Amino acid sequence: MDNRKLIFENGREFAGRSFGAPCEAVCEVVFNTSMVGYQEILSDPSYCAQMVNMTYPLIGNYGLTDEDYETRVPKIGGFIVREYNDKPSNYRYTRTLADVMRENNIPGIEGVDTRAITRMLRDEGSMRAILTERPREEALETLRATAVPHDQVACVSGKSVWFSRTANYRYNVVAVDCGIKLNIVRRLNKKGCNIIVVPYDTPAEAILGFKPDALFLSNGPGDPEDVRPVIELVRRLCGQLPIFGICLGHQMIALAFGAKTYKMKFGHRGGNHPVKELATGKVEITSQNHSFAVNPASLAGTGLHATHINLLDQTVEGLACPEKRVFSVQYHPESAPGPQDSDYLFDRFIATMEEGRRHA
């Protein structure tokens, strides 16, 4: 279909061609600067209810591979690309991007000026848009009437407990699924951890019943203040277990300790964000995907201190409370594909569990 259009709430309109599912969508539009990794972006649950504008101009050229999904049921709202390639050249590929999008009712639009969209979002901030074939005024009326979604974690979290075991394991970790990426589970398995993945609203008593060595809080979509069960869980288990949080998990730890979060103008999404560890001065190139950040002024008196900062805008990228054996990062050390600079954080998590055993 050549009559698809993307109409933003500021009135800007971009015409293009349809690929993926031929359905209508109303979503927040964000941009991602990664040059590769569209499969991981497609299947990252943190993109629930968001359409992603890809700044790299050619998407689809290496297909999708069975081993590379971050979740098996993608929840992304849609894809916006400059040029879609439906004839992949990659010996590993098993499906095309459009095939998987159609199967999961995910719409896409190609042939639009993705650079202009990126500049608009950078200047004016993330905003909602409707991907449609309907007349402009009718579409804008629908866009204005569609409510902003909340509590998206409930949409992406698993409904039951599942396990990911590894040979010669040393530790048992309970991972709270707020939209967990599978590569987090893979990385922890490789570090010698059996993983017990539980729904986001699992009570503290049920988690303690697994007798875990530590608690992990996953990434996920939406406003962290919506995820009250996990915030309360952190308050309940803080000091009883080592706790490590990534992305949304980082934000929920901040809220549990009494700090505040805020929505950023256009967020951080891409594979090339420089982050400085304050204790060592080391700079890491990181992969990121988030709309919210921790307010640094709100950390005073909480017991948390900032451990990492973003060198582009000085936002808080890491937190720690050593006395309670809690730490977190805003970025993604498990990123795939992506930089490997931050893998040491999983080793730090292991060391925290080992220390806990020595003092048990």
Side-chain angles (χ1 to χ4, degrees):
M1 291 180 288
D2 293 332
N3 57 343
R4 297 284 272 177
K5 50 194 172 185
L6 190 64
I7 305 174
F8 287 83
E9 56 189 337
N10 67 354
R12 293 281 302 272
E13 183 175 325
F14 296 83
R17 300 176 297 278
S18 175
F19 76 101
C23 58
E24 187 171 272
V26 174
C27 297
E28 180 185 37
V29 177
V30 298
F31 64 88
N32 189 297
T33 60
S34 298
M35 296 177 69
V36 293
Y38 56 79
Q39 177 172 353
E40 289 81 359
I41 292 167
L42 169 82
S43 58
D44 182 349
S46 297
Y47 284 113
C48 177
Q50 291 179 327
M51 276 189 279
V52 181
N53 181 66
M54 299 296 296
T55 63
Y56 191 73
L58 181 62
I59 301 297
N61 53 308
Y62 55 85
L64 273 66
T65 304
D66 289 343
E67 295 85 2
D68 294 346
Y69 287 94
E70 294 290 2
T71 184
R72 286 296 174 182
V73 183
K75 299 291 187 180
I76 193 171
F79 260 133
I80 305 162
V81 307
R82 182 72 184 94
E83 179 183 350
Y84 171 65
N85 184 322
D86 202 44
K87 294 181 170 56
S89 177
N90 175 13
Y91 75 96
R92 295 179 66 237
Y93 102 92
T94 54
R95 307 281 301 281
T96 69
L97 174 59
D99 283 342
V100 175
M101 290 171 65
R102 281 191 291 269
E103 186 176 283
N104 291 279
N105 205 37
I106 299 167
I109 185 170
E110 66 156 329
V112 298
D113 189 342
T114 53
R115 184 176 182 182
I117 293 173
T118 300
R119 289 170 67 94
M120 179 182 71
L121 298 177
R122 185 193 64 190
D123 294 342
E124 301 181 36
S126 298
M127 65 183 79
R128 295 198 301 160
I130 182 168
L131 180 56
T132 186
E133 300 173 22
R134 289 193 283 164
R136 174 187 174 82
E137 293 307 317
E138 182 183 335
L140 281 171
E141 185 177 339
T142 299
L143 175 59
R144 297 186 192 107
T146 303
V148 176
H150 285 279
D151 201 15
Q152 290 144 286
V153 165
C155 298
V156 299
S157 178
K159 307 307 179 189
S160 59
V161 176
W162 59 276
F163 300 85
S164 182
R165 298 183 173 91
T166 185
N168 302 315
Y169 78 94
R170 297 171 60 199
Y171 307 99
N172 287 307
V173 174
V174 168
V176 179
D177 178 11
C178 297
I180 193 166
K181 294 170 65 179
L182 291 178
N183 211 44
I184 292 173
V185 177
R186 297 180 193 115
R187 294 305 302 146
L188 287 170
N189 280 161
K190 287 182 179 178
K191 298 291 183 180
C193 300
N194 278 346
I195 309 301
I196 305 138
V197 183
V198 301
Y200 81 103
D201 54 356
T202 302
E205 291 71 22
I207 287 173
L208 291 173
F210 290 109
K211 302 188 184 310
D213 294 293
L215 181 70
F216 174 81
L217 307 179
S218 85
N219 61 290
D223 187 338
E225 292 192 7
D226 289 342
V227 200
R228 304 310 304 181
V230 181
I231 295 169
E232 294 303 322
L233 178 69
V234 174
R235 290 173 178 158
R236 171 76 170 77
L237 296 182
C238 180
Q240 296 189 54
L241 294 171
I243 301 177
F244 176 30
I246 287 176
C247 200
L248 183 67
H250 159 85
Q251 297 159 10
M252 293 185 296
I253 285 172
L255 292 171
F257 274 76
K260 303 295 183 184
T261 57
Y262 64 94
K263 188 167 185 181
M264 306 170 74
K265 184 177 180 181
F266 51 80
H268 293 160
R269 293 173 184 86
N272 55 353
H273 289 254
V275 168
K276 180 179 179 180
E277 185 177 25
L278 297 176
T280 63
K282 174 187 172 185
V283 176
E284 309 162 34
I285 301 302
T286 69
S287 175
Q288 307 212 2
N289 172 20
H290 60 103
S291 295
F292 289 80
V294 174
N295 183 342
S298 71
L299 293 173
T302 64
L304 292 170
H305 68 271
T307 57
H308 299 71
I309 60 167
N310 190 300
L311 293 180
L312 298 179
D313 59 10
Q314 306 300 301
T315 49
V316 176
E317 292 279 1
L319 295 169
C321 179
E323 296 81 10
K324 299 288 189 180
R325 296 180 295 163
V326 174
F327 73 103
S328 63
V329 290
Q330 180 63 79
Y331 52 96
H332 286 270
E334 85 293 344
S335 59
Q340 305 287 310
D341 304 24
S342 308
D343 191 64
Y344 71 90
L345 291 161
F346 292 109
D347 295 324
R348 186 171 293 176
F349 190 35
I350 299 297
T352 304
M353 286 187 271
E354 188 63 38
E355 183 181 358
R357 281 189 175 180
R358 287 199 300 267
H359 292 89

